[in-house]
């Protein structure tokens, strides 16, 4: 049997998609699910409709339906980064982090995919894979504070304290108003015995 191809939503269907998304954002998940299911009936080969139903089901607390619809959406549009990212975020949210990592590794190349891969690998304690992912992000966008922060965490856990401090310095330089971002360099500096600098960072975190 030939694989079903993704079909875009018509203008009228896109308006229904928007209405369901508004319900979802308003916290009216059950109503959003009903509208998304109706849209899927009318547009079964539209990856956007399938993904919408998956997200609505996830918010309503129906993991079986969420997973089934994410997989349908992915089968229709396997190279769509937004579907991979949303499915991966849901897998991570429900504690299926290994599956999240596998999905991201098999997904299309891209900065956001690599960033989420790095964060998921950190969660698994797989620091070398996390480091490689964050370095891939920074090779594309050197001024990405979240990637520098993630790289710093990976380097610190790998025992590369000085390199971790440098990575955290880049993160705080790019996002100085992120108070929580000063905690990591403070911890790294303390491990290196640089107590005065560590204290300065912790003061910035509390400011």
């Amino acid at each position: 049997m030939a694989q079903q191809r993704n079909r875009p939503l018509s203008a009228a269907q896109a308006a229904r998609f928007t209405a369901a998304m508004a319900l979802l954002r308003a916290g009216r998940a059950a109503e959003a699910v009903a509208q998304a299911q109706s849209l899927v009936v009318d547009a079964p080969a539209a990856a956007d409709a399938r993904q919408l139903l998956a997200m609505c089901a996830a918010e309503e607390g129906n993991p079986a339906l969420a997973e089934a619809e994410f997989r349908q959406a992915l089968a229709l549009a396997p190279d769509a980064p937004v579907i991979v990212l949303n499915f991966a975020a849901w897998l991570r949210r429900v504690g299926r982090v290994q599956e999240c990592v596998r999905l991201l590794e098999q997904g299309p190349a891209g900065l956001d995919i690599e960033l989420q891969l790095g964060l998921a690998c950190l969660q698994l304690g797989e620091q070398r894979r996390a480091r490689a992912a964050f370095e891939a992000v920074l090779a594309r966008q050197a001024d990405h504070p979240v990637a520098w922060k993630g790289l710093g965490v990976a380097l610190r856990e790998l025992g590369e304290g000085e390199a971790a401090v440098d990575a955290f310095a880049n993160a705080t330089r790019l996002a100085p108003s992120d108070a929580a971002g000063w905690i990591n360099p403070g911890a790294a500096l303390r491990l290196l015995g640089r107590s005065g600098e560590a204290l300065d960072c912790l003061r910035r975190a509390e400011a």
Side-chain angles (χ1 to χ4, degrees):
M1 183 183 295
Q3 183 177 350
Q4 199 171 24
R5 295 180 62 185
N6 182 33
R7 294 186 179 180
L9 296 172
S10 68
Q13 290 166 343
R16 291 164 61 191
F17 177 100
T18 301
M21 281 297 300
L23 288 170
L24 184 62
R25 293 191 182 106
R28 296 161 62 182
E31 294 171 76
V33 165
Q35 289 211 15
Q37 285 175 320
S38 174
L39 183 58
V40 165
V41 169
D42 289 347
D48 285 342
R50 295 286 187 174
Q51 179 179 213
L52 172 66
L53 179 53
M55 293 188 295
C56 293
E59 289 304 312
E60 191 186 31
N62 187 338
L65 180 59
E67 179 169 3
E69 292 301 324
F70 271 130
R71 292 196 183 282
Q72 287 276 10
L74 196 59
L76 288 165
D79 295 325
V82 68
I83 295 174
V84 174
L85 287 166
N86 284 330
F87 190 9
W90 177 76
L91 287 169
R92 192 172 164 203
R93 182 172 130 194
V94 298
R96 295 163 60 179
V97 189
Q98 286 279 11
E99 292 173 76
C100 167
V101 167
R102 285 198 295 272
L103 176 64
L104 291 167
E105 288 181 327
Q106 294 164 7
L111 186 147
D112 290 333
I113 297 279
E114 290 288 356
L115 181 67
Q116 294 306 316
L117 176 60
L119 294 171
C121 287
L122 278 186
Q123 191 171 342
L124 288 175
E126 297 186 8
Q127 314 300 345
R128 295 188 186 283
R129 291 170 78 188
R131 175 183 184 170
F134 292 129
E135 287 176 341
V137 172
L138 293 166
R140 293 184 175 95
Q141 184 179 329
D143 62 347
H144 200 301
V146 176
W148 279 115
K149 184 177 177 181
L151 179 60
V153 172
L155 291 168
R156 184 187 64 204
E157 295 303 311
L158 289 168
E160 298 184 35
E162 293 289 353
V165 167
D166 290 342
F168 288 136
N170 281 320
T172 53
R173 175 179 57 81
L174 291 164
S177 61
D178 177 13
W182 291 91
I183 295 173
N184 282 313
L189 287 161
R190 187 177 58 197
L191 289 172
L192 293 173
R194 294 159 61 178
S195 302
E197 294 170 85
L199 187 57
D200 287 341
C201 287
L202 295 176
R203 287 194 184 111
R204 292 289 297 269
E206 294 170 356

